[in-house]
Amino acid sequence: MDDERLSDVIAYLEMINLNLTRIASISAQDEAVKKIVSETKELIAKSLEHLHGEEIKKEIEGFTSLE
């Protein structure tokens, strides 16, 4: 995955996470919605963690290739 696509995917997941937070605040009384939102936010957080790691790895590889 190239740097631009990786950045785009990270940005999309962060926007999705923000939207889920908004949905959770709107439907705060519905336990089923809260559970689904919480589980989905966990998956997004794990995905972002992996993607940020990949982004950092690419940056390090870029620096070492300049040497």
Side-chain angles (χ1 to χ4, degrees):
M1 183 179 301
D2 63 23
D3 291 343
E4 187 176 337
R5 287 183 66 183
L6 181 60
S7 293
D8 286 347
V9 170
I10 290 170
Y12 298 154
L13 286 170
E14 288 172 346
M15 286 186 279
I16 291 167
N17 196 37
L18 178 61
N19 287 343
L20 285 170
T21 301
R22 290 177 182 158
I23 290 168
S25 68
I26 291 169
S27 57
Q29 302 301 320
D30 190 333
E31 289 300 317
V33 171
K34 284 172 50 175
K35 182 179 180 196
I36 291 168
V37 168
S38 177
E39 290 171 353
T40 305
K41 287 176 67 70
E42 271 185 52
L43 291 171
I44 290 171
K46 288 178 184 177
S47 297
L48 283 169
E49 184 178 307
H50 290 300
L51 290 171
H52 282 298
E54 186 66 25
E55 187 176 45
I56 291 167
K57 185 174 99 179
K58 285 182 157 280
E59 287 179 23
I60 292 170
E61 288 171 355
F63 288 131
T64 58
S65 69
L66 296 174
E67 295 176 349

